Amino acid sequence: QLQLEESGGGLVQPGGSLRLSCAASGSTLGYYNIAWFRQAPGKEREGVSCIASGGLTRHYTDAVKGRFTISRDSAKNTVDLRMDSLKPEDTAVYYCAAEWTPHSVMCTVIDGRYNTWGQGIQVTVSS
């Protein structure tokens, strides 16, 4: 059974960078669409980015487009989220999630599509 664990969060100053990693155990991430979501205090969870199992399709929400990059590392069985030019409004708990979709060329950040979730990791952007 697939299990996910996020790492790489922490405190960073505005304009700084962080790299989140979503590590899998129990299965190979190459068979799954993977998405990153975030939830800020007092706000609903929102989709940030996703990558299709086929690896060719990536999607970013407008708020992070041009600043965040999602990628797969098949050797490590991880999906990473590189976050640059961070802003205070990026502060949230970040979650990775998986949807079983082998050979998919599409992905979405609709959270109802994902049935395996990590426990979440805090990212705080503050001076």
Side-chain angles (χ1 to χ4, degrees):
Q1 183 175 355
L2 178 68
Q3 292 184 314
L4 303 175
E5 183 174 7
E6 302 92 343
S7 63
L11 173 65
V12 64
Q13 292 187 343
S17 297
L18 282 175
R19 188 179 191 92
L20 302 183
S21 186
C22 177
S25 59
S27 187
T28 300
L29 284 183
Y31 296 120
Y32 297 82
N33 284 358
I34 303 298
W36 285 93
F37 295 84
R38 66 186 181 185
Q39 188 166 20
K43 295 187 177 181
E44 293 187 354
R45 186 165 60 193
E46 66 170 339
V48 174
S49 181
C50 65
I51 185 167
S53 59
L56 298 179
T57 300
R58 296 166 173 82
H59 171 79
Y60 302 92
T61 191
D62 286 346
V64 307
K65 201 170 292 183
R67 300 189 297 121
F68 290 13
T69 304
I70 192 169
S71 62
R72 290 183 182 272
D73 188 328
S74 298
K76 295 181 179 178
N77 203 24
T78 63
V79 171
D80 296 341
L81 186 68
R82 170 76 180 187
M83 306 186 295
D84 296 316
S85 303
L86 283 162
K87 305 175 181 180
E89 51 263 43
D90 295 317
T91 295
V93 177
Y94 283 71
Y95 301 87
C96 65
E99 175 193 14
W100 170 263
T101 50
H103 312 299
S104 176
V105 296
M106 298 178 60
C107 68
T108 176
V109 290
I110 299 173
D111 59 7
R113 297 291 298 268
Y114 296 86
N115 52 22
T116 302
W117 292 76
Q119 80 286 354
I121 193 162
Q122 179 69 45
V123 171
T124 302
V125 185
S126 175
S127 55

